[in-house]
Amino acid sequence: MPDPVINSTTFIDYLTSGSALIASLVALYGINTWRREYVGKKRMDLGHDLLEAFYKAKDAIRYIRSPFTPEIERSEAIKDLPEHRNEFDERAAVLSKRLNDKQKEIAAFRAMKYKIMAVFGNDSEKIFDEFASIPNQIATAMGILVKHYWNRQGENFRNKTEFENHLNEMNRFEGIIWDGTSEGDEILEKLNNIQSALEAIVHDHQDPIFKRIPKNLYAWIVGRLKNFIQTIIGQ
């Protein structure tokens, strides 16, 4: 018959070892969790800052491109124009003022480019470059309209085809500077694509190390305790 004293002592030794193991595992888990939570939180905070900056920049672009101009805004925009001006001069002045007024929001988003590249990877660079092209595209389209299209309104064209080509080209450029004035809004589509790409980057890179951490500490400890008991039984 096995010596009960030896068996009791052996069990106490196993229990003591098991308690020490569990305590060590809990301590290690706590340290790793804290470190991972700290790193993950900084990444998550940066992702939130990125999306917030983009949403503000997107709203700024949509405001710039709004075809509706309140009278108070128009009056402020044209106050420095010469007395002899026309409707198209006023349109250009309003758009120029909006581009200038919303530089803060646009610049704040663009300023995050290199920090985001450092944390989320170089693939994000092309997203920022795509966004940077939008204000330039709007300003360029406005310049073309002023110089080559709006000043020809009321002009006698040589034939119907020339006039239709003029209108089509003018509408195309107006579709760049104004929101929702043409089917298949090119600028809005770009903004939506950029938003989807940024949200995907933030989501895909958010706390990847947490996927390797058990979600339930109790289940994690119990699982390891079972392994420990099975080891004892196996002996």
Side-chain angles (χ1 to χ4, degrees):
M1 176 182 296
D3 188 341
V5 175
I6 295 175
N7 287 343
S8 298
T9 303
T10 302
F11 177 76
I12 292 173
D13 289 342
Y14 279 134
L15 186 61
T16 302
S17 299
S19 299
L21 174 62
I22 292 174
S24 299
L25 290 173
V26 171
L28 179 62
Y29 177 85
I31 293 172
N32 286 339
T33 299
W34 176 85
R35 177 177 60 83
R36 289 164 176 167
E37 284 181 349
Y38 177 77
V39 173
K41 185 176 185 303
K42 287 186 72 71
R43 185 188 294 267
M44 182 168 26
D45 288 345
L46 180 60
H48 289 168
D49 290 344
L50 170 66
L51 293 179
E52 180 183 3
F54 173 74
Y55 296 147
K56 290 179 178 179
K58 180 181 179 181
D59 282 347
I61 295 294
R62 299 208 67 177
Y63 167 76
I64 290 168
R65 300 181 68 231
S66 173
F68 304 106
T69 306
E71 178 58 30
I72 188 171
E73 181 187 24
R74 188 192 71 85
S75 299
E76 179 67 21
I78 67 173
K79 66 181 182 180
D80 295 326
L81 290 180
E83 183 177 350
H84 300 289
R85 59 179 181 267
N86 57 39
E87 173 189 357
F88 307 112
D89 295 330
E90 294 185 359
R91 290 181 186 177
V94 168
L95 191 59
S96 295
K97 184 178 185 301
R98 288 178 177 179
L99 282 166
N100 185 65
D101 289 347
K102 292 300 178 178
Q103 278 303 304
K104 180 180 178 181
E105 290 84 354
I106 293 171
F109 172 70
R110 295 183 61 182
M112 300 188 71
K113 174 179 176 179
Y114 296 107
K115 182 182 290 187
I116 296 302
M117 288 173 60
V119 175
F120 295 106
N122 292 336
D123 289 345
S124 58
E125 180 178 15
K126 58 186 177 183
I127 299 176
F128 282 89
D129 292 343
E130 180 75 0
F131 178 82
S133 71
I134 293 176
N136 295 336
Q137 193 174 356
I138 294 172
T140 299
M142 180 186 68
I144 292 173
L145 284 166
V146 170
K147 292 180 181 179
H148 303 292
Y149 291 95
W150 285 344
N151 63 350
R152 297 187 66 190
Q153 291 296 90
E155 180 180 318
N156 292 323
F157 292 87
R158 290 177 296 180
N159 52 57
K160 182 179 179 181
T161 300
E162 184 181 19
F163 175 66
E164 289 178 347
N165 289 338
H166 167 81
L167 287 182
N168 289 336
E169 284 297 298
M170 185 175 71
N171 290 337
R172 182 170 71 86
F173 286 112
E174 287 181 344
I176 294 174
I177 69 169
W178 288 326
D179 185 281
T181 56
S182 63
E183 295 182 6
D185 190 323
E186 176 184 347
I187 300 299
L188 183 57
E189 184 177 349
K190 278 187 178 183
L191 289 171
N192 289 338
N193 290 339
I194 291 171
Q195 179 174 329
S196 297
L198 288 173
E199 290 172 347
I201 285 177
V202 172
H203 178 269
D204 292 344
H205 289 79
Q206 197 170 81
D207 307 333
I209 52 179
F210 283 110
K211 296 177 182 178
R212 301 194 296 271
I213 300 176
K215 295 181 179 179
N216 190 307
L217 177 58
Y218 174 77
W220 184 77
I221 294 174
V222 169
R224 277 149 184 77
L225 183 59
K226 286 181 179 179
N227 293 338
F228 177 73
I229 293 174
Q230 287 173 357
T231 300
I232 296 175
I233 295 173
Q235 295 180 355

